[in-house]
Amino acid sequence: MPGMENEGSNLSRAEEIKNQANEAFKAHKYGQAIDLYTQAIELNSQNAVYWANRSLAHTKLEEYGSAIQDATKAIEVDPKYSKGYYRRGAAYLAMGKFKEALKDFQQVKRICPNDPDATKKLKECEKAVMKLKFEEAISVPESERRSVADSIDYRAIKVEPQYLGAKIEGDVVTLDFVKKMMDDFKNQKCLHKRYAFQIVLQMREMLQALPSLVDINVPDGCLLTVCGDVHGQFYDLINIFELNGLPSEENPYLFNGDFVDRGSFSVEVILTLFAFKCMCPSAIYLARGNHESKSMNKIYGFEGEVRSKLSETFVELFAEVFCYLPLAHVINQKVFVVHGGLFSVDGVKLSDIRAIDRFCEPPEEGLMCELLWSDPQPYPGRGPSKRGVGLSFGADVTRRFLQDNNLDLVVRSHEVKDEGYEIEHDGKLITVFSAPNYCDQMGNKGAFIRFEAPDLKPNIVTFSAVPHPDVKPMAYANNFLRMFQ
């Protein structure tokens, strides 16, 4: 019976490969683990464990769309396999889809009625859905909403004589103030609320006046440094400034979104970047990332951190100011810089991006959503997003976009890369990511790119993580999500 022997050897080989995948997963090599689980699935697609394990590896890489697909497949293979529902519920949760998550955790509870862990997670999920319903019930329609900034008079806030931290004298944010504030932050001291309000309100005014697509002009012989995601890793941000100099008119930076969330020093990061912009608007350019949004901040820690270090009013104020951040930048009419990526349709012009009304929470589809969420793929054409939002786009899509707009290069961020960067799409697209050892566990390097005019050839600098105080990533995150870390 050679057919049966062959099948038996396939099954045992699949099991061997699954064990190798598990080892890669334990070593935080999630991409490698996914490749190995895929090989195991090719040999035996009827094992629900392989699908559920690959789902978890996708979750670790924030590929929640793929995680949901794999978990759903595990459920199809074995409808009584509780881990399939568990993994899918966790992925829905990470996307902020609490109602879908609740259904899956209810199913886990049905299959394992005596599992204390399932009971605990179900209770938390029910709480989250109740809170969501309550918030929806009391929310004011967008058209009737007043700006929280109107109710803040920072000048009326008294600074106690015992406060010895950084102070802004009058209306001007100076370099001395920013340096003192960064030193205080390094020593885990807080900035007085009066000055925090002053910085964020000044920032709001400045950003409000900017277009959705900002043109940056770098004179010949001068440099611009582009950084990717920082994600609340304040001590790594300080290290970037030590390696490459502080932002100034002569040493400008562009930070390409995802300043906050996950890392537990997001307040320090955002106030530092905002303060430099207040000090000298041409020293620093800031683009919106998918994490500069209410739904992400609710889940991934920024909202909780702001509440803990500042106040509830700041939660609202940051949410509003994040809606004012530009969506993309163009350097010297040649390099297009955006957080996520390109579009589900061809023919998008820079003028279409300029015309986006960005003053809102990111929608679930359309140009603004795709700018913040999309990712490149290694094969041509377009495909569904592994994240469940936006899309994947190939080298042909990148090439056509560049040709249509007379550009040379796309620079984007949004994805962890082992070396801190990756060059794809025939050299026409670079991903840059500036949060080394992301979430204290990925072991990746960080990178930034220096562009010198006029030729704007990308000079990529990589760096390793530096130590930080013992506050874990996601320390302020949604209690429910922390249960899955």
Side-chain angles (χ1 to χ4, degrees), residues 88-371:
R88 191 170 68 183
Y92 276 135
L93 181 67
M95 291 178 75
K97 298 192 170 183
F98 292 111
K99 290 167 189 169
E100 290 89 338
L102 180 60
K103 286 181 194 152
D104 279 333
F105 289 117
Q106 285 167 337
Q107 193 57 33
V108 173
K109 184 82 170 86
R110 277 185 212 112
I111 297 169
C112 317
N114 302 319
D115 180 342
D117 187 54
T119 308
K120 189 173 157 195
K121 290 202 167 68
L122 178 60
K123 273 202 181 114
E124 281 294 333
C125 199
E126 285 167 345
K127 260 198 277 185
V129 171
M130 287 297 290
K131 188 166 179 255
L132 204 63
K133 282 184 179 159
F134 176 70
E135 283 170 1
E136 279 170 10
I138 62 164
S139 70
V140 179
E142 201 74 43
S143 56
E144 294 168 31
R145 218 166 274 172
R146 287 188 56 215
S147 165
V148 67
D150 298 342
S151 64
I152 301 162
D153 177 9
Y154 71 83
R155 287 184 173 87
I157 300 170
K158 290 271 185 290
V159 179
E160 305 77 11
Q162 61 268 38
Y163 172 73
L164 301 172
K167 292 178 180 173
I168 302 171
E169 304 297 341
D171 293 334
V172 181
V173 174
T174 63
L175 180 58
D176 284 343
F177 163 78
V178 183
K179 283 179 173 171
K180 167 81 171 120
M181 180 183 75
M182 290 192 322
D183 272 344
D184 289 347
F185 286 162
K186 256 193 258 186
N187 297 313
Q188 291 185 274
K189 291 177 184 157
C190 292
L191 179 67
H192 197 283
K193 286 189 184 69
R194 181 198 195 282
Y195 306 119
F197 272 129
Q198 189 170 344
I199 289 166
V200 182
L201 289 168
Q202 207 169 316
M203 195 66 200
R204 175 182 176 273
E205 215 168 297
M206 209 180 288
L207 292 174
Q208 209 171 358
L210 294 174
S212 290
L213 174 70
V214 173
D215 287 290
I216 302 176
N217 179 43
V218 183
D220 287 1
C222 297
L223 283 164
L224 173 78
T225 300
V226 179
C227 296
D229 305 35
V230 180
H231 273 303
Q233 296 186 198
F234 175 72
Y235 294 82
D236 294 306
L237 173 67
I238 295 291
N239 186 39
I240 291 171
F241 294 151
E242 280 171 9
L243 295 170
N244 194 58
L246 291 174
S248 66
E249 205 156 356
E250 298 70 44
N251 188 34
Y253 282 79
L254 163 52
F255 280 87
N256 197 26
D258 283 11
F259 321 122
V260 302
D261 278 339
R262 295 200 177 267
S264 294
F265 303 95
S266 293
V267 166
E268 289 81 355
V269 166
I270 198 69
L271 287 175
T272 299
L273 296 177
F274 279 9
F276 272 117
K277 182 86 179 158
C278 292
M279 177 195 88
C280 176
S282 59
I284 200 163
Y285 298 88
L286 302 170
R288 192 173 193 174
N290 62 306
H291 276 266
E292 278 71 52
S293 72
K294 261 191 209 167
S295 58
M296 293 286 112
N297 298 164
K298 224 181 240 332
I299 303 171
Y300 289 101
F302 184 59
E303 195 177 288
E305 188 184 334
V306 171
R307 240 182 230 118
S308 168
K309 292 177 181 175
L310 293 165
S311 71
E312 186 64 46
T313 309
F314 274 99
V315 171
E316 282 182 67
L317 184 59
F318 277 118
E320 190 179 307
V321 174
F322 285 167
C323 292
Y324 295 176
L325 286 161
L327 302 176
H329 291 78
V330 174
I331 308 168
N332 288 11
Q333 302 175 330
K334 286 297 168 201
V335 180
F336 179 71
V337 189
V338 66
H339 180 71
L342 300 181
F343 310 101
S344 52
V345 291
D346 282 336
V348 174
K349 292 287 206 284
L350 295 182
S351 55
D352 299 318
I353 300 168
R354 271 194 194 92
I356 295 171
D357 179 4
R358 71 181 188 279
F359 300 103
C360 60
E361 287 301 318
E364 299 255 315
E365 55 187 18
L367 295 188
M368 180 169 166
C369 169
E370 289 161 5
L371 284 163

Side-chain angles (χ1 to χ4, degrees), residues 412-458:
R412 42 88 62 182
S413 304
H414 195 41
E415 281 183 288
V416 188
K417 298 292 177 187
D418 285 346
E419 292 303 313
Y421 73 97
E422 188 174 357
I423 301 171
E424 297 168 86
H425 293 184
D426 310 316
K428 293 292 181 191
L429 181 141
I430 304 178
T431 298
V432 60
F433 191 84
S434 305
N437 194 24
Y438 180 47
C439 290
D440 284 1
Q441 61 164 321
M442 298 298 277
N444 59 293
K445 284 192 174 128
F448 52 81
I449 309 175
R450 290 157 60 94
F451 288 100
E452 186 173 348
D455 62 3
L456 297 186
K457 286 217 166 31

Side-chain angles (χ1 to χ4, degrees), residues 42-58:
E42 281 162 3
L43 292 166
N44 177 15
S45 63
Q46 293 308 298
N47 189 321
V49 175
Y50 302 170
W51 293 101
N53 284 9
R54 192 171 75 174
S55 171
L56 182 59
H58 278 302

